[in-house]
Amino acid sequence: GDSVTQMEGPVTLSEEACLTINCTYTATGYPSLFWYVQYPGEGLQLLLKATKADDKGSNKGFEATYRKETTSFHLEKGSVQVSDSAVYFCALSDRAGNQFYFGTGTSLTVIP
Amino acid sequence: DADVTQTPRNRITKTGKRIMLECSQTKGHDRMYWYRQDPGLGLRLIYYSFDVKDINKGEISDGYSVSRQAQAKFSLSLESAIPNQTALYFCATRGGGYTGELFFGEGSRLTVL
């Protein structure tokens, strides 16, 4: 069945460091791919998404490119800030649009 | 006001008690979901509903039941709570198509003693 595997954390970075959180997926057909972010004490909110191969999603300085050939959707940011400290979830939606499949989440802490 | 509202936000209860978590939404979406979040396990789907007459089990539905009272309301019940149901529960809604994203409530933290 469909699934998502993402890099385990926790990840600790200094402010202004580069971030990459790896995410790979298994799916039949062409799913839509998403990154969600969960700030402390809050619900999940959409960070970015891509709905077809080679699409790049971007928001708040974060980017991820839908790579069909490597079945990946890695999250990147060139310079992280303390305010980026959160848990990040990779997810996919199957082609039928019925269900979402989430990775286990990667906790990021950015220190000044 | 939040588009997806969950009540209560926090609840402590005892083993064997019945508990209901409520979710209401103002987004006008037909699809609604209940997820459970546990540390290191990510989000796991409990139940989902595509309209008032369409309820489906997710991967971990045992011990839970749901009611879709209206398009905007979707409740999750634990008939007889047990300690391993201690978790953070999220309601979510989704708009049309397979490209649409989930919109989450702020979560209901449940502790079963």
Side-chain angles (χ1 to χ4, degrees):
Chain A
D2 295 359
S3 66
V4 172
T5 302
Q6 67 179 97
M7 186 174 97
E8 291 193 15
V11 175
T12 302
L13 295 174
S14 297
E15 203 164 24
E16 299 184 1
C18 296
L19 170 71
T20 300
I21 301 177
N22 292 332
C23 173
T24 57
Y25 67 89
T26 300
T28 54
Y30 303 95
S32 293
L33 301 174
F34 305 80
W35 277 101
Y36 279 83
V37 58
Q38 183 181 27
Y39 298 104
E42 299 183 11
L44 282 74
Q45 55 186 275
L46 179 69
L47 181 60
L48 54 84
K49 72 177 185 181
T51 60
K52 61 183 187 294
D54 299 325
D55 266 3
K56 177 185 284 187
S58 61
N59 186 24
K60 300 181 179 180
F62 290 90
E63 293 183 340
T65 301
Y66 188 161
R67 302 285 189 200
K68 180 175 176 295
E69 63 276 13
T70 55
T71 62
S72 65
F73 192 54
H74 304 323
L75 182 67
E76 299 177 326
K77 187 174 186 182
S79 176
V80 295
Q81 306 300 312
V82 172
S83 58
D84 293 327
S85 298
V87 180
Y88 293 82
F89 292 91
C90 186
L92 73 81
S93 169
D94 62 16
R95 185 70 179 181
N98 292 334
Q99 292 197 33
F100 262 69
Y101 299 88
F102 285 87
T104 54
T106 301
S107 175
L108 169 67
T109 301
V110 181
I111 56 177
Chain B
D1 288 342
D3 293 326
V4 183
T5 303
Q6 293 182 231
T7 56
R9 294 290 312 281
N10 288 283
R11 181 72 180 267
I12 300 173
T13 192
K14 295 182 178 180
T15 297
K17 295 292 188 181
R18 184 179 187 274
I19 182 119
M20 178 181 287
L21 306 179
E22 298 184 329
C23 177
S24 62
Q25 53 115 346
T26 59
K27 298 195 73 66
H29 291 162
D30 287 327
R31 291 181 285 183
M32 297 188 74
Y33 304 76
W34 275 105
Y35 285 91
R36 168 178 171 159
Q37 183 180 22
D38 297 278
L41 296 178
L43 275 75
R44 293 181 291 168
L45 182 63
I46 307 172
Y47 271 95
Y48 60 105
S49 170
F50 290 166
D51 65 40
V52 175
K53 296 181 180 180
D54 182 19
I55 306 289
N56 304 278
K57 293 183 177 180
E59 61 179 299
I60 57 162
S61 60
D62 287 349
Y64 302 94
S65 62
V66 291
S67 173
R68 184 82 183 266
Q69 301 96 323
Q71 186 208 34
K73 296 185 182 295
F74 191 37
S75 300
L76 176 71
S77 293
L78 288 69
E79 296 301 325
S80 180
I82 56 176
N84 75 1
Q85 292 177 312
T86 294
L88 185 57
Y89 292 85
F90 286 104
C91 176
T93 72
R94 189 176 188 196
Y98 74 97
T99 62
E101 66 260 34
L102 288 171
F103 294 86
F104 285 86
E106 294 185 328
S108 296
R109 183 167 296 281
L110 176 64
T111 303
V112 183
L113 301 176

